[in-house]
Amino acid sequence: MKLSVNTEIGLTHLLSRKRQTLVASLGVTIGIAMYIFMNSLTLGVNRYSDNAIFKNAPHLRVYKEDEMSKPIPGVSSSSGLPVIVNPKISNTSLNLVNPQKLLKDIQSQKGVTAAAAYVTANLFYTNGKSQVNGVASGVNILEANAMFNIESTMIDGDLRSLVNTPNGILLGVGIVNKLNIKLNDNINVISSVGVVKLMKVVGIFKTSFAITDKTKSYVSLATAQQLLGQGPNFVTDIYVNVATPALAPSYVPLLQNLTGYNVEDWMVANETAVAGSKIRGIMLGGISWAILLVAAFGIYNILNMTITQKLNDIAILKATGFSGKDVIRIFVLEALIMGFLGTCFGVILSLVPTTALAHVYIGADIGYFPIRFEPSIALKGAIIGMIVTFCAGYIPARRAAKVDPLAIFRR
Amino acid sequence: MEREIVLNTSKIGKFFYDPIEFKALDDISFEAYKGEFLTLIGKSGSGKSTLLYILSTMDTEYEGELFIDGKKITGQKQDNLAKIRNENIGFVFQFHYLLPEFSCLKNIMIPALKLGKFSREEIEEQAYSRLKMLDMTDQALKPASKLSGGQQQRIAIARALINNPKIIMCDEPTGNLDTKNTQIVFDIFQQIAHELGQTIIAVTHDTDFAKASDRTIELADGKIISHGKK
Ligand SMILES: Nc1ncnc2c1ncn2[C@@H]1O[C@H](COP(=O)(O)OP(=O)(O)OP(=O)(O)O)[C@@H](O)[C@H]1O
Ligand SMILES: [Mg+2]
């Protein structure tokens, strides 16, 4: 192997003080390991909480906003100003016009992975005297399943029966318990506009949200439309999923233009949860950066010390023809080698807490702690680690480059 | 015979301002020829080292002008000066000698590796031949910090010779050596000056050493008081 003189000198310095080299590297090792661990933690927990959101909510929702009544043009008060004394929600339908075309248009957009039409109906579930109020989602159950993986929450029955059973209904387990019924029983539902229908329970689901389980049901689109006394073109919402949930907000203007209706992304709809993610990110990110900086400071410190001890050597090198740049190269190289060693071990070390935590059983529908070794974060950590060590090396190296050999020889 | 000038100065002056303004060198003009073994003598504090540092291109704060090989050195950039030192000047310091963590051999090789003109194997061979000249072959692989002062000085001389520089500057090269080794160093200087055509500029307190050299320049209070025999 052919080494340049600068490399050889740097390596000799490192090898002749192995303990210091090791200590400085170890600082980086711990810093990088913590950085990777903390960020994997943030990513894992945020991914889990996002997924929890996406179990019930789509990335984007297209709907028609309620309109407030507007003054009738031309009718004005004596002062000349149009006045409405008591503005109310105007009694217009929340129907999306021509939903089939909208759905097709949306599905053909780049980045859209799934889109489903929804009809939401408020209603009562009744069994004899027992009555539970709730919300039915009229859906094409296969489309909805593609979006929310409803199948994974089914505890009884089969969601596919909804396709074949015209009056079938999938009920949350809370409703089933309250009404004291079981699979294949019949119940009556009464909609907010007074339509009554006899439905057959073809499936029971259980999510991690008790509220959902106590109110929610799935019926076919047609059933929901009938319950609301509407025709087959009545659709209240279109749910849209995109390839990258984080980019959902960028689809809002696009879909708004395309459909002409209101579009809401999941981050707006779940502001609290998103804020929680952000706070976690900032907190753990801050801690991991702090640890990384401490590690970098370790390298800075040791290099600074080395340079102070080696003023004589630096002077000799410069006298025998090494330029300031060579001196910088020598010491930056030393920092980078320590940083590289530390980073490699740090990546390996980060496996320990991540795998350990990944084996901690939390229970409920979380199961094991939602963390895993994230190669992308490890890569980012390694790159940051190298950049930070470069800076930690460069600052003292520049000082070394400025050493005036005469000032040393004259001493 | 017209002799080739390797180094010359014109009216070099040097001030120190700390602790008080003090003129350490005044109106130094002289030339050194190719293949000349030149010695600089003078009382302690007369400015020999100060002059040598200027000639070595390490000190750039002075009045007047310095030329090496006819090229003006005064006013050149630091990086250029480093290159000139590496290629053209071998230096033996008065007190500070070697890189302690490296073997003697490596210490000698480093300026040549930096120059990069020869392969590592060739450089190693050249380093060994210098060691042999100075009777130091058996110390080659010892770390430099484990040598005596005189041995270190000889390694420093070997290092100064490695790149076959045009000029070799020495500050008290025999200060730590016994008569036998002083004689060895003297003979080597004589040989490289006269046979290889390299120029030696050596500061010395040793009047015998100076007398035996080709020419002696004497300094007193920062001025040249004698240019020696021509
Ligand atoms: N860095 C400095 N600051 C101030 N004065 C200095 C400095 N270096 C040298 N001097 C002064 O310059 C003068 C010449 O010093 P120099 O080291 O060149 O002497 P020298 O001839 O080499 O002496 P010696 O034979 O003892 O080595 C001395 O009077 C010294 O005090
Ligand atoms: Mg001196």
Side-chain angles (χ1 to χ4, degrees), chain A residues 69-132:
Chain A
S69 45
K70 290 201 186 92
I72 302 165
V75 183
S76 43
S77 71
S78 52
S79 66
L81 285 173
V83 167
I84 305 176
V85 177
N86 188 9
K88 284 200 173 76
I89 290 176
S90 59
N91 197 10
T92 50
S93 157
L94 295 180
N95 186 19
L96 302 177
V97 175
N98 201 355
Q100 294 315 318
K101 180 175 179 299
L102 284 183
L103 211 54
K104 272 217 185 70
D105 286 351
I106 292 172
Q107 273 161 348
S108 67
Q109 290 300 308
K110 224 179 114 210
V112 170
T113 52
Y118 264 68
V119 176
T120 308
N122 290 312
L123 40 66
F124 290 102
Y125 311 99
T126 65
N127 178 27
K129 284 234 160 118
S130 338
Q131 208 173 52
V132 176

Side-chain angles (χ1 to χ4, degrees), chain A residues 3 5 8-9 12-13 16-17 310 312-313 316 318-323 325-326 406 409-410, chain B residues 16 53 58-59 79 82 85-86 93 96-102 106 110-111 113-114 120 159:
Chain A
L3 293 176
V5 218
E8 195 173 333
I9 294 171
T12 308
H13 282 171
S16 61
R17 44 191 67 217
K310 296 215 160 301
N312 213 15
D313 292 35
I316 292 170
K318 290 185 97 172
T320 53
F322 285 74
S323 64
K325 281 183 202 127
D326 291 316
L406 286 185
F409 294 141
R410 283 212 188 101
Chain B
F16 287 114
Y53 289 139
M58 282 190 280
D59 192 350
D79 284 0
R85 281 198 291 278
N86 188 224
F93 313 100
H96 307 266
Y97 306 118
L98 306 170
L99 304 174
E101 285 134 345
F102 294 81
K106 269 283 152 59
I110 279 174
L113 292 169
K114 170 68 197 156
R120 182 171 287 264
R159 180 180 60 194

Side-chain angles (χ1 to χ4, degrees), chain A residues 16-85:
Chain A
S16 61
R17 44 191 67 217
K18 293 195 188 70
R19 222 176 62 88
Q20 278 188 9
T21 306
L22 227 63
V23 169
S25 307
L26 205 67
V28 179
T29 300
I30 293 169
I32 293 290
M34 288 314 276
Y35 179 90
I36 295 174
F37 171 63
M38 295 278 190
N39 283 282
S40 300
L41 195 67
T42 318
L43 189 69
V45 172
N46 284 352
R47 183 184 289 146
Y48 166 77
S49 79
D50 287 352
N51 282 344
I53 290 172
F54 298 144
K55 272 182 196 161
N56 285 295
H59 301 162
L60 294 139
R61 186 166 77 95
V62 182
Y63 64 103
K64 190 173 172 193
E65 188 74 284
D66 285 321
E67 283 172 29
M68 298 305 279
S69 45
K70 290 201 186 92
I72 302 165
V75 183
S76 43
S77 71
S78 52
S79 66
L81 285 173
V83 167
I84 305 176
V85 177

Side-chain angles (χ1 to χ4, degrees), chain A residues 278-315:
Chain A
K278 261 194 198 145
I279 290 172
R280 268 195 303 277
I282 292 170
M283 210 171 69
L284 294 177
I287 296 173
S288 58
W289 267 98
I291 296 170
L292 216 57
L293 285 181
V294 171
F297 192 72
I299 289 202
Y300 170 83
N301 221 0
I302 285 196
L303 223 57
N304 234 344
M305 218 163 70
T306 310
I307 287 167
T308 309
Q309 288 169 355
K310 296 215 160 301
L311 287 177
N312 213 15
D313 292 35
I314 295 167

Side-chain angles (χ1 to χ4, degrees), chain A residues 406-407 410-411, chain B residues 14-20 22-25 41-53 94-95 171-172 203-205 219 222:
Chain A
L406 286 185
R410 283 212 188 101
R411 272 212 299 238
Chain B
K14 168 84 187 175
F15 280 95
F16 287 114
Y17 300 97
D18 193 26
I20 46 155
F22 171 72
K23 190 150 196 178
L25 292 175
I41 59 166
K43 290 204 186 73
S44 180
S46 57
K48 306 180 297 289
S49 296
T50 308
L51 176 60
L52 210 58
Y53 289 139
Q94 188 170 7
F95 300 115
D171 204 344
E172 314 263 2
V203 168
T204 184
H205 276 127
L219 285 182

